[in-house]
Amino acid sequence: MTSDLLRLVTAGSVDDGKSTLVGRLLYDTKSVLSDQIDAVLRSSEERGLDNPDLSLLVDGLRAEREQGITIDVAYRYFATAKRTFVLADTPGHVHYLRNTVTGASTADHAVLLTDARKGVLEQTRRHLAVMAMLGVPGITLAVNKLDLVDFDQATYESVRDEFVSHAESLGFRSDQITTVPMSALAGDNVVSRSDRTPWYDGPTLLEHLETVRPDERGCDVGLRVPVQYVLRDTDYRAYAGQVAAGSVRPGDEVVVLPAGARSTVTEVGTPDGPVDEATAGQPVALTLADDLPVSRGDLIAAADRVPELAAEVTATVCWLAEEPLRPGARVLLKHGTRVTKCRVPSLNARFDEQQLVLERDPECLELNDIGQVRLEVADALPFDTYTDCVATGAFLLINPDGGDTLAAGQVGDTLSAVTGDG
């Protein structure tokens, strides 16, 4: 019988063995169909491999097979007797960092891989910086391919120490960091404990993931419900959306932003009917005591904890477009269910994720750069800072011409916490 849910994200450089690790987790937890296993075994035998190539279980896209890399976020599901997992399998290539940002944005825990022969790489440090910026509550480093260094303890400990030092420099506490020596190809310390690492007395990767209790991401701001739809009938009007933070009960006083009109909740509807209370994550349809001009894009918030309406904010962005971001850029900003015009008047700093320093007043932000910017929006929006509430502190910058995503962003200065700058 399964119990609670853990959302995972996996990341690592190309050829660190990420697909093999994910395949090993699926295979050893018996989370794949027998015909899929048979196909992998046949393919591996035809290639003359000594071990089944479990990466074939996850490299399902034709383009991935052709390129030999993972190019998109793929969500995998598996379960043990103790826990259910949703795993966001992200690509390793540097040009697909946007997919890593996407996968990490909702993760409770991250598993980073590195090849024991190569140690902590530039891409490892980049992924670690993204996890720190997004506030991922915990990190496990899988020191993979240890079979290729004869399960050498000193090699593992050298990689471990460098990784832990770098992670702590980014603000992770020691109790948020775990490292596991393993060989995903042979199955050592992934699900089953290996007798080839007698010097290691920690948990296997799966044992650790079954027990990890991540910190709650920031959400202590009271009720937040971005309105997605207005439901109308002859004598009925309700405002549908997901509870992004807090809770709501009939009788609660709320405010509708940006207009600022106040009212009282008369009913909390759900797909299963009216309830006495709904909490974060639940879809709801709220009816109010007053006839207010509420529309898609508005935010229903607790009347005693109202977010600030702001037309200008400091923000941290991860730039995901080929065309560099320069001061004066005009884009669209998507916050919750509202989209508004936005201008970027200045670039305050660029984050060097390798040296962990801020470069002030950069000329531009290039693809995959993380930086601090100023934003001006055409319509004042009800922002929370990202550290206070992930759901209402995050936003996207969108190309007004093509509609493609240019950047993932957070309201507030999350980089100073990472670099120690004040």
Side-chain angles (χ1 to χ4, degrees):
M1 180 178 178
T2 58
S3 52
D4 60 337
L5 174 70
L6 188 73
R7 292 182 174 83
L8 293 172
V9 59
T10 57
S13 299
V14 174
D15 294 332
D16 277 352
K18 186 164 51 59
S19 293
T20 300
L21 174 61
V22 176
R24 171 64 65 182
L25 283 169
L26 298 176
Y27 179 80
D28 284 0
T29 56
K30 299 179 173 54
S31 301
V32 287
L33 300 174
S34 59
D35 60 337
Q36 292 177 297
I37 294 294
D38 291 343
V40 168
L41 295 177
R42 282 197 305 273
S43 179
S44 301
E45 186 176 349
E46 289 169 1
R47 297 181 186 187
L49 302 177
D50 294 331
N51 295 302
D53 183 358
L54 298 177
S55 68
L56 298 176
L57 288 172
V58 295
D59 285 343
L61 296 175
R62 178 180 299 174
E64 291 181 4
R65 295 279 188 91
E66 291 173 349
Q67 297 183 42
I69 59 175
T70 306
I71 61 172
D72 202 353
V73 180
Y75 290 90
R76 323 285 178 184
Y77 304 87
F78 65 99
T80 68
K82 297 181 179 178
R83 175 169 263 178
T84 299
F85 301 89
V86 178
L87 188 153
D89 182 17
T90 67
H93 197 279
V94 65
H95 283 89
Y96 298 111
L97 186 66
R98 71 193 71 182
N99 305 89
T100 304
V101 172
T102 300
S105 62
T106 58
D108 301 313
H109 196 84
V111 177
L112 303 188
L113 272 85
T114 192
D115 184 328
R117 299 169 299 175
K118 301 175 183 176
V120 177
L121 302 176
E122 179 178 325
Q123 185 74 327
T124 313
R125 289 189 284 270
R126 181 176 291 114
H127 285 156
L128 194 51
V130 167
M131 304 304 168
M133 186 191 79
L134 292 172
V136 176
I139 301 283
T140 293
L141 177 68
V143 184
N144 193 28
K145 300 189 179 184
L146 215 63
D147 53 314
L148 299 182
V149 294
D150 297 325
F151 293 91
D152 181 59
Q153 179 180 2
T155 299
Y156 164 70
E157 291 178 347
S158 174
V159 176
R160 177 198 63 190
D161 293 347
E162 181 179 358
F163 179 84
V164 170
S165 175
H166 197 78
E168 290 181 339
S169 297
L170 285 164
F172 286 102
R173 304 187 310 268
S174 59
D175 65 335
Q176 293 175 303
I177 309 166
T178 299
T179 61
V180 180
M182 68 174 59
S183 167
L185 180 66
D188 296 87
N189 291 332
V190 179
V191 173
S192 304
R193 191 169 296 275
S194 173
D195 59 8
R196 296 192 284 188
T197 55
W199 39 265
Y200 175 72
D201 59 2
T204 67
L205 176 64
L206 186 63
E207 287 172 346
H208 174 61
L209 297 179
E210 285 182 328
T211 58
V212 63
R213 296 294 169 194
D215 296 342
E216 291 289 333
R217 287 186 179 225
C219 58
D220 184 23
V221 291
L223 177 68
R224 300 288 188 266
V225 180
V227 176
Q228 292 180 306
Y229 302 102
V230 178
L231 307 176
R232 291 188 177 90
D233 203 343
T234 305
D235 297 318
Y236 177 79
R237 179 178 292 184
Y239 310 108
Q242 186 179 58
V243 181
S247 62
V248 59
R249 300 170 60 91
D252 285 352
E253 187 180 4
V254 295
V255 59
V256 181
L257 299 169
R262 293 181 177 239
S263 187
T264 302
V265 176
T266 55
E267 182 179 273
V268 179
T270 73
D272 299 321
V275 297
D276 292 335
E277 182 180 32
T279 58
Q282 286 187 263
V284 293
L286 304 180
T287 58
L288 304 180
D290 302 283
D291 185 12
L292 303 179
V294 183
S295 61
R296 174 180 169 82
D298 287 346
L299 179 74
I300 298 176
D304 60 346
R305 301 187 70 180
V306 182
E308 179 184 359
L309 281 175
E312 184 175 347
V313 294
T314 298
T316 302
V317 298
C318 182
W319 189 248
L320 304 172
E322 295 285 349
E323 183 71 18
L325 173 65
R326 300 183 188 282
R330 296 182 182 276
V331 296
L332 297 177
L333 185 147
K334 184 176 187 300
H335 177 253
T337 53
R338 180 179 289 268
V339 177
T340 188
K341 293 180 181 177
C342 175
R343 179 172 174 270
V344 187
S346 62
L347 310 181
N348 297 354
R350 176 191 170 278
F351 176 50
D352 182 337
E353 77 277 1
Q354 303 301 313
Q355 302 300 319
L356 304 182
V357 296
L358 293 178
E359 301 170 355
R360 297 293 177 182
D361 303 318
E363 293 184 358
C364 66
L365 294 181
E366 303 275 2
L367 173 69
N368 295 331
D369 276 352
I370 296 171
Q372 185 192 81
V373 302
R374 293 289 295 171
L375 300 175
E376 294 175 352
V377 289
D379 305 308
L381 295 177
F383 290 117
D384 290 299
T385 63
Y386 188 83
T387 52
D388 287 339
C389 182
V390 171
T392 50
F395 61 85
L396 296 176
L397 297 183
I398 298 171
N399 187 337
D401 296 324
D404 48 311
T405 298
L406 300 173
Q410 308 166 346
V411 178
D413 180 14
T414 53
L415 288 179
S416 291
V418 171
T419 61
D421 276 22

